Amino acid sequence: MSEFKADFGLVGLGVMGRNLLLNACDGGFAVAGLDTDAAKVAALEREAPAGRAMGSTDTFAFVKLVKKPRTILLLVPAGDATDRAIADLLPHLEAGDLLVDAGNAHFSDTERRMAWLNNQGLHFMGTGVSGGARGARFGPSIMPGGNREDYERVRPLFEKIAARTENGPCAAWLGHGAAGHYVKMVHNGIEYGLMQLIAEIYDLLKGAAGLDNHELHLLFRSWNEGRLHSFLMEITAHILQFPDTEGPGLLLDKIQDKAQQKGTGKWTSQHALDLGIPIPTIDAAVAMRGLSALKQQRLAASAKYEKPVPHLSGMDVERLSGQAEAALYFAFLGTYAQGLHLLREASREKGFDLDLATIAGSWRGGCIIRAQLLEDILSAYAAEPGLQHLFLSERIAGQLAGAVPATRELLQAAVRSGIPAMALSATLAYFDAWTSGRLPLNLVQAQRDCFGEHSYERVDREGVFRTNWH
Ligand code: 6PG
């Protein structure tokens, strides 16, 4: 086997990395894998078709397995582990070799690594990959950024292993610099928002309206057959009927209500704040993960305050489920709108040169936020590439407006029942603010000027004014 030459190599043979390699083997590629864990290397060689894959625990031996100029993907945890993996490879690489970080790196790390490696004559691309372990095995959504010429080198591989819709592979060059990791970060922010919204609707229907798990399963399943059709709705319906193998009942009911996070949602909020772009649904989702983790404090506080009697019991279930479906549709659209708005402004700020229709297109298959409503979003941006915000699209406005009254009614019931619907109410408030020609921030400007002489503009005259309020 000494003449074995891999088309590309991959560092990090965890389940994602191994699955990506097996996917590439199915697509006809010869692959090499590196991991410090010999058992993972053995698993790759055992699971791959004969003669298609070789692994190693030794960096030098691994690098020699890859055809020159080399293309090596990194699928290791974001942060220091990625820097360590690069530093380990570096002495064995040659000018012209290409490293592709396919992990969930922070975009600023990708910018730093591009500069660092380009200085050494190496090429470096940051690429988002979404779809979890199954996606990696059978077709993820791939979000590459960086130099276009570098993308051309990996394009045949990415287009072969990516998920496909009837419009082609869910892989396309998205933009310059760290665009790939930036888009993946915002993808994850949207993912946080959608997941939180689904959880709030589940809470409302279960906690306040008293629907049981089976009724909820049927409801989510039927919604998934309509305009809410999406990966997250599909897995929610599935989870809502999944038995606990350790005892009676559903597994879902046995799971602690403390959500963890690896940081991509928080990064989205942080950078949106830096740019001054409002994404309150995603902020609320991040806040709810934080709140969920404070279990002991929540338990202590719950003993001190009485909750109102759930308001929804006795309400017509069909009417309620119609409202919940409309509210989810409204809030899903609102969440994508926020994420895409952030991408638009970040592209301008950082020179990514993003095309939002292409991004919506590459999210249609393979990734966690794939959803039927992305077709409408794609059409909206394809029809009007300069569209400032999704809410301004004629195609979207009618659908959004149609779902607003039901959302208001449902939220009123949530408030009266003491059910925290932070993401849903943030989305509605965002919509109400976006669609208000006049906001009460005139008062904020007056306060700023009153206590700090910060000045203000007037509605009736040009210029900047100050007043002695005292
Ligand atoms: C994907 C996911 C994935 C992410 C998990 C967990 O697109 O496949 O976004 O990249 O790591 O969803 O993220 P949290 O641990 O932050 O929830």
Side-chain angles (χ1 to χ4, degrees), residues 323 326-328 330-331 403-412 424 428:
Q323 285 178 0
L328 261 186
F330 165 81
V404 168
T407 308
R408 291 195 198 287
E409 270 196 56
L410 189 77
L411 265 170
Q412 282 167 20
L424 188 58
L428 185 59

Side-chain angles (χ1 to χ4, degrees), residues 36 90 96 103 120 123 143 224 252 258 362-363 370 439 451:
T36 48
L90 220 46
Q120 318 217 15
H123 301 251
M143 298 162 236
N224 190 43
L252 177 61
K258 294 193 292 186
S362 57
W363 287 347
R370 61 185 185 261
L439 290 170
F451 67 66

Side-chain angles (χ1 to χ4, degrees), residues 104 129-132 184 187-188 191-192 260-264 289 368:
N104 271 333
V129 177
S130 175
K184 177 62 185 1
H187 164 285
N188 281 28
E191 171 186 305
Y192 273 51
Q260 300 194 339
Q261 49 185 319
K262 292 197 205 74
T264 42
R289 291 214 189 180
I368 305 296

Side-chain angles (χ1 to χ4, degrees), residues 105-114 124-128 143-147 173-185 343 350-352 354:
H106 191 279
F107 66 91
S108 61
D109 280 336
T110 303
E111 287 166 349
R112 171 178 58 78
R113 288 172 188 139
M114 281 183 93
F124 184 77
M125 285 176 66
T127 293
M143 298 162 236
N147 295 324
W173 179 82
L174 297 183
H176 304 288
H181 277 146
Y182 197 92
V183 171
K184 177 62 185 1
M185 176 188 81
L343 284 175
K350 299 188 72 63
F352 290 147
L354 301 177

Side-chain angles (χ1 to χ4, degrees), residues 4-24:
F4 175 90
K5 280 291 175 201
D7 297 304
F8 74 99
L10 184 143
V11 180
L13 299 180
V15 65
M16 286 285 292
R18 198 161 71 243
N19 279 354
L20 212 62
L21 287 183
L22 294 174
N23 180 353

Side-chain angles (χ1 to χ4, degrees), residues 6 41 62 161 349 354 395 438-439:
V41 171
F62 159 76
I161 64 176
E349 177 78 18
L354 301 177
R395 284 164 201 262
R438 184 152 170 88
L439 290 170

